[in-house]
Amino acid sequence: MEAMEAIILAAGYSSRARDFKMTLKLGTKTVLEHTISKFEGICKRVIVVSGFQWERIQEAITKMQNSYDMEIVCVVNPSFDEGMFSSVQRGCSEVGACSFFVTPGDCPLVHKETIWKLAGAPGNVVIPSFQRKGGHPIKLTGEIKKRIAEAGVDATLRKILQDYEKNYMNIDDPGVLMDLDTPEDFMQATEYYNELP
């Protein structure tokens, strides 16, 4: 299988979480480390796009750098307050692989097997779904990367992907829908994590 890369979006304010969610602990690892760790063995490089509190993200990545057999880099999006798409563009500017994943940093509970399945699936846009609802991470190709790079400030990823056929993979993994926007989300995620085998 071709070498892939992943973009992890970790630039936001975490305002609804009432805490900086990327460094919250789930078990022994932070939320961000759980998200990063799922790509080991599948991706040669993970690009973490930071913005708000980027120093804390950089420090966290420096600590975990030698624990994984892949390159983990932290890039700063100076325009992060313009919204998530600006971070997607910043991440895409670093991608050299033919296909790559994009996921928010607060999706730590996706099964690694899910990412393996997505990696092997054909299509310009591959999206995992659980009970017919689309989730993360999504897999995109170089053609989409080019469109993202050329897009104007009013663009969104959703608008760009509207022009493409989507390959939805229905997967028995509720983790693809679990992001940690609120304290309640984090409590639910902790319960789910503690019950995992």
Side-chain angles (χ1 to χ4, degrees):
M1 192 172 64
E2 58 166 321
M4 295 182 66
E5 293 177 85
I7 297 170
I8 295 179
L9 306 169
Y13 287 111
S14 302
S15 50
R16 285 162 61 199
R18 297 203 289 274
D19 203 335
F20 190 57
K21 58 190 174 184
M22 294 301 153
T23 53
L24 289 174
K25 284 281 181 84
L26 259 182
T28 58
K29 293 178 185 169
T30 62
V31 166
L32 181 61
E33 186 171 1
H34 276 290
T35 304
I36 288 171
S37 69
K38 303 297 166 60
F39 294 98
E40 187 178 29
I42 303 162
C43 292
K44 61 177 180 177
R45 190 161 75 123
V46 169
I47 300 150
V48 180
V49 182
S50 61
F52 180 64
Q53 300 210 7
W54 66 267
E55 300 95 335
R56 284 175 75 177
I57 301 272
Q58 179 67 68
E59 188 184 333
I61 287 171
T62 302
K63 280 182 187 164
M64 68 178 87
Q65 192 81 54
N66 298 324
S67 307
Y68 297 98
D69 185 23
M70 60 184 174
E71 187 185 354
I72 307 167
V73 296
C74 177
V75 300
V76 179
N77 172 19
S79 312
F80 74 93
D81 53 354
E82 290 174 11
M84 192 180 277
F85 186 67
S86 68
S87 291
V88 174
Q89 284 187 308
R90 179 70 185 91
C92 279
S93 72
E94 300 287 332
V95 169
C98 295
S99 56
F100 61 100
F101 293 100
V102 178
T103 189
D106 66 340
C107 292
L109 295 171
V110 176
H111 296 158
K112 194 162 187 169
E113 298 74 38
T114 295
I115 298 177
W116 274 112
K117 286 176 185 168
L118 294 168
N124 277 313
V125 183
V126 184
I127 302 173
S129 72
F130 177 70
Q131 296 178 348
R132 305 281 169 215
K133 284 178 76 174
H136 289 97
I138 61 173
K139 186 181 93 164
L140 304 172
T141 59
E143 184 182 330
I144 310 263
K145 184 183 89 163
K146 189 168 179 289
R147 287 282 306 276
I148 289 168
E150 292 166 355
V153 287
D154 58 340
T156 65
L157 190 55
R158 180 168 294 195
K159 274 188 199 167
I160 288 171
L161 299 185
Q162 275 173 357
D163 296 340
Y164 292 89
E165 187 181 336
K166 296 168 187 67
N167 177 4
Y168 282 96
M169 291 191 71
N170 205 36
I171 283 173
D172 186 20
D173 179 0
V176 301
L177 300 181
M178 287 185 178
D179 54 10
L180 311 183
D181 285 336
T182 66
E184 294 72 30
D185 291 342
F186 187 73
M187 279 173 58
Q188 281 183 339
T190 303
E191 284 172 21
Y192 175 80
Y193 177 76
N194 290 337
E195 286 168 11
L196 288 173

